[in-house]
Amino acid sequence: MEALTGTSGLATEAGVEQPLLSVRGLTKRYPTASGGEIVACEDVSFDLYSGEVLGIVGESGSGKSTVLQCLFQDVIPTSGEAYLAPFHEGTRNIWDADRRERRRLRTHDMSMVYQNPRQGLNLMVTAGGNIAERLLAADWRKVADIRDKAGDYLSRTEVPLDRMDDFPAFFSGGMQQRVQIAKALANNPALVLLDELTTGLDVSVQAGVLDLVRDIQHRLGMTAIVVSHDLGVIRLLADRTLVMKDGHVVESGLTDQILEDPQHPYTQLLVNCVTH
């Protein structure tokens, strides 16, 4: 196959590592009642490689969560292209997918951990049942295998196995988040999207969730995009970082470099707010 360049797909040249995900020109605008538009994000472009964690940081309203919502197809972008290696070998824009293909992308190739676990869990289905739902959607069929896998991932996320048949509605927020993480990882998706996963949790619970995610990433080589307004979360988890303001990427680079030597005035302001 000839190398694909530009925005027509992922390059396939032999001997050159290709991105797992390539995003070009992602834009989402919402119409207003007055006939104008609100820009949620505009011309966002980046590459993400297998085993890498990309952080996206910015204040509320910067557009960072919109990027994840578009990638997971909770929201359809106004324009842009995204090529994910498992989707037709990275040769087709995921936003050209039909309904069946979109479902497969969401159940096989990607998963989302939402800021509010209630968006990612069915609270009146057991913890194990939530994981089973995802595995069934990913074409698992043997009940014994599904239960074993559910137990395995609940253990990995430090959810006691004696809570496996309990309803998440009666779990603490931190425990719900752990179940949601277990559900998102259970069928080994190529890409995991993490949206403000510690917001609203007690400080001690935040630390436990972050340590858990970091440990899983190191053990499993998870490829992920982490969205947060908290630079501490980004520093802990992300290899590279995009800084967003008013829907635009204003700075990007290695996380340590951005946090230790920020170049854009907005990034400098974010860093200074944390260090002072």
Side-chain angles (χ1 to χ4, degrees):
M1 182 184 293
E2 293 182 358
L4 298 171
T5 58
T7 59
S8 59
L10 301 183
T12 55
E13 292 182 15
V16 178
E17 183 183 7
Q18 307 305 326
L20 175 75
L21 173 70
S22 183
V23 176
R24 296 291 179 267
L26 168 57
T27 298
K28 178 60 182 179
R29 300 188 185 97
Y30 292 96
T32 66
S34 62
E37 290 183 324
I38 296 174
V39 177
C41 65
E42 186 164 40
D43 198 26
V44 175
S45 300
F46 61 86
D47 291 328
L48 177 66
Y49 292 84
S50 181
E52 183 180 36
V53 178
L54 177 70
I56 307 179
V57 68
E59 297 173 302
S60 296
S62 62
K64 57 190 188 298
S65 291
T66 300
V67 172
L68 290 197
Q69 292 164 4
C70 288
L71 288 173
F72 201 55
Q73 307 210 28
D74 286 338
V75 170
I76 302 303
T78 304
S79 61
E81 298 175 321
Y83 299 91
L84 183 69
F87 183 64
H88 292 279
E89 299 181 338
T91 61
R92 281 187 59 202
N93 180 4
I94 65 171
W95 294 311
D96 289 337
D98 60 27
R99 182 177 179 180
R100 178 185 60 82
E101 290 170 328
R102 284 198 301 271
R103 181 179 181 277
R104 183 174 179 84
L105 279 164
R106 290 168 57 101
T107 58
H108 290 68
D109 302 325
M110 287 189 277
S111 63
M112 173 83 98
V113 176
Y114 292 92
Q115 174 179 340
N116 185 341
R118 294 170 182 267
Q119 288 182 262
L121 296 175
N122 185 334
L123 297 185
M124 297 311 297
V125 170
T126 65
N130 268 276
I131 297 173
E133 283 183 344
R134 180 163 180 87
L135 293 174
L136 286 167
D139 300 329
W140 286 56
R141 290 294 176 263
K142 293 185 178 179
V143 174
D145 290 346
I146 290 172
R147 188 165 180 85
D148 286 347
K149 177 66 78 169
D152 178 30
Y153 271 82
L154 289 173
S155 294
R156 288 175 186 240
T157 53
E158 302 176 7
V159 176
L161 288 183
D162 61 5
R163 305 295 305 274
M164 182 173 176
D165 295 319
D166 293 345
F167 297 110
F170 305 108
F171 290 2
S172 67
M175 190 72 77
Q176 288 178 353
Q177 198 64 290
R178 291 173 184 271
V179 175
Q180 190 186 190
I181 292 169
K183 180 179 181 178
L185 298 178
N187 67 324
N188 301 316
L191 176 61
V192 181
L193 308 173
L194 305 168
D195 189 10
E196 298 280 11
L197 76 164
T198 61
T199 298
L201 301 179
D202 292 339
V203 173
S204 60
V205 177
Q206 288 182 27
V209 169
L210 290 174
D211 286 344
L212 169 68
V213 171
R214 184 172 62 172
D215 180 60
I216 289 174
Q217 200 282 325
H218 287 167
R219 285 191 286 115
L220 303 182
M222 177 177 72
T223 307
I225 301 176
V226 179
V227 157
S228 181
H229 67 279
D230 187 335
L231 291 180
V233 171
I234 298 300
R235 184 187 293 274
L236 185 69
L237 298 180
D239 301 302
R240 289 187 299 113
T241 295
L242 307 180
V243 181
M244 292 191 67
K245 182 180 187 298
D246 298 331
H248 296 83
V249 175
V250 297
E251 188 166 356
S252 64
L254 296 175
T255 299
D256 288 345
Q257 183 180 34
I258 283 180
L259 297 184
E260 296 300 329
D261 186 25
Q263 299 300 303
H264 192 277
Y266 177 70
T267 312
Q268 293 170 359
L269 179 63
L270 290 180
V271 173
N272 286 337
C273 285
V274 173
T275 57
H276 291 84

